[in-house]
Structures are given as C-alpha cells and as structure tokens.
Amino acid sequence: TQLLEQSPQFLSIQEGENLTVYCNSSSVFSSLQWYRQEPGEGPVLLVTVVTGGEVKKLKRLTFQFGDARKDSSLHITAAQPGDTGLYLCAGTFSGAGSYQLTFGKGTKLSVIP
Amino acid sequence: EPEVTQTPSHQVTQMGQEVILRCVPISNHLYFYWYRQILGQKVEFLVSFYNNEISEKSEIFDDQFSVERPDGSNFTLKIRSTKLEDSAMYFCAGKSSYNSPLHFGNGTRLTVT
C-alpha cells in the first residue's frame, strides 16, 4: 500500500500571509495531483504534475514537483479567506494499480480575515 | 459546465439493509470510479470501471459491494448488507481518457444506524 504524507495537518494564518504545504511519499509518483475540497463537496482538481522538477502556477498558487518525483509542494502567496479549505494531494504509482488515486489526509487551511 | 451528479445527497439506512448509490457521469466520460471518505479520514479508492467491467478494486471493495452501469448513463454502487462501518461519504468520479483530469461528484453521505 502506497502512503502519502501531508504536512502540516492544520494551518491557520492571517490574510495576506504566504504559506507552503507539503506532500511526500517513499515511492515514486507516476503523476501527482492537488485537489481542494470544501465541506460537503467532492474534491476539485487544481493541478496535475508528471515531470520531475515541474513547476505550475495557478494565479497565487505555485505547485512544485520534486526532481525525484517523490514529493510536491503547494505555495500560496498573499492568502485570502477564500483560500480556506482542505488541500489534498493524490498520486498514482507505477507498479501499483494504475487506475486508482491514492490520497493523503490533507492540509486543512484557515485564512483569517 | 457539465458536472458529475450523485443521488441521493444523504441516505440513512439500517444495518443489514441494501443501498444503491447513483451517479450520472459527464456524458463523454469513459472511466468511472467510486471513492469513499469516512469522517475525518482520507479519501479511499474503492473501484474503477472501464469498458463495462471492473478495472481495479481495493481491499475495501469486498463481496458486499458491486457496481454496474445498467443503461449506459447511470453508474451505481450497491452495498448488499450495510454495516455500521460503511457510514461515510461516497464519491463518484469520472474522466474522459486515461490521462485526463478526474471529476468528482459532490458525494452521497451514507449513515448506517
């Protein structure tokens, strides 16, 4: 069973601050995705990364995939209350079931106005 | 924008009863999934379905679970004899090709009493 570790588990910051959350695995990802989940809703895909060292930007969100494809980070610049939510990383692994995504437990972000 | 829709949004059932959770994927989706999320825990893969058959299933997806796509539109998850520990949010997801993004529905909250 592949495991994804996300840190921190909880994060509470003031509006305007920057933050970084992390996703790590002991195995190499075939691909990695970041999702955001609001209470009572399903996960919504933010980005997919597949190439080691890849950096993708989505407005104030910057996603980085580690060179060895075992880790990823999500950096938010100038956080806003609307960024509040659960951020999940999920990955597929070569050799494991190729159809299934393995999720981390998520980072619960609260941005205080 | 097309959405994956799930019904019902909330299902309460007694232990030992059968439940059927329904999903209507986006029309061009070819790959279908069920995931579940027990309260406070991570999203877990249950089963994937492609070309009218199960592609992969997890250890959770035992003989009490079954899936089908009876009419080429609805995608259903049946639990034959529910247990208390089946209480969770059940998410349907779909995608149009192997490498395309996964779209989740808003889930069905199943409560087994």
Side-chain angles (χ1 to χ4, degrees):
Chain A
T1 303
Q2 313 293 349
L3 291 176
L4 273 73
E5 299 289 334
Q6 287 192 249
S7 62
Q9 193 175 352
F10 300 97
L11 186 58
S12 182
I13 62 169
Q14 295 287 338
E15 181 177 0
E17 291 184 348
N18 301 333
L19 67 112
T20 303
V21 299
Y22 301 92
C23 176
N24 295 279
S25 174
S26 57
S27 302
V28 175
F29 293 104
S30 297
S31 69
L32 184 143
Q33 298 170 358
W34 284 93
Y35 290 83
R36 181 174 154 189
Q37 186 179 21
E38 304 282 357
E41 297 182 9
V44 175
L45 180 67
L46 296 174
V47 77
T48 300
V49 287
V50 295
T51 305
E54 187 174 1
V55 177
K56 284 192 174 179
K57 293 197 173 187
L58 186 67
K59 298 182 181 177
R60 293 176 293 101
L61 278 60
T62 301
F63 304 86
Q64 189 155 8
F65 199 19
D67 291 340
R69 289 163 46 217
K70 289 187 174 183
D71 59 277
S72 180
S73 64
L74 159 58
H75 182 80
I76 302 179
T77 304
Q80 298 176 1
D83 295 327
T84 294
L86 180 67
Y87 289 84
L88 301 167
C89 76
T92 58
F93 298 90
S94 59
S98 56
Y99 287 91
Q100 61 177 280
L101 275 179
T102 300
F103 280 82
K105 284 190 175 181
T107 293
K108 192 167 186 178
L109 172 65
S110 296
V111 182
I112 303 164
Chain B
E1 185 176 321
E3 294 181 338
V4 176
T5 56
Q6 290 187 241
T7 56
S9 58
H10 192 185
Q11 173 93 45
V12 181
T13 189
Q14 288 191 326
M15 193 167 54
Q17 296 295 306
E18 174 183 286
V19 295
I20 298 176
L21 310 183
R22 291 183 167 80
C23 171
V24 180
I26 298 171
S27 59
N28 67 342
H29 282 178
L30 299 176
Y31 297 79
F32 310 102
Y33 303 79
W34 283 101
Y35 286 80
R36 79 171 186 190
Q37 187 176 30
I38 295 171
L39 187 63
Q41 298 187 24
K42 62 181 180 180
V43 177
E44 299 174 293
F45 169 78
L46 292 179
V47 66
S48 60
F49 191 85
Y50 172 71
N51 203 25
N52 287 321
E53 61 183 20
I54 291 174
S55 312
E56 288 169 358
K57 58 184 180 179
S58 71
E59 296 170 350
I60 304 167
F61 194 87
D62 61 22
D63 292 344
Q64 293 300 311
F65 291 86
S66 62
V67 290
E68 61 177 5
R69 196 163 175 243
D71 55 9
S73 174
N74 294 287
F75 180 51
T76 62
L77 174 69
K78 181 193 291 186
I79 309 175
R80 288 188 185 82
S81 178
T82 50
K83 304 185 287 288
L84 295 176
E85 53 265 37
D86 292 329
S87 294
M89 282 289 287
Y90 287 80
F91 293 106
C92 171
K95 59 183 182 179
S96 55
S97 67
Y98 187 75
N99 291 319
S100 60
L102 197 57
H103 293 265
F104 283 82
N106 280 336
T108 292
R109 179 173 297 282
L110 176 66
T111 303
V112 182
T113 61

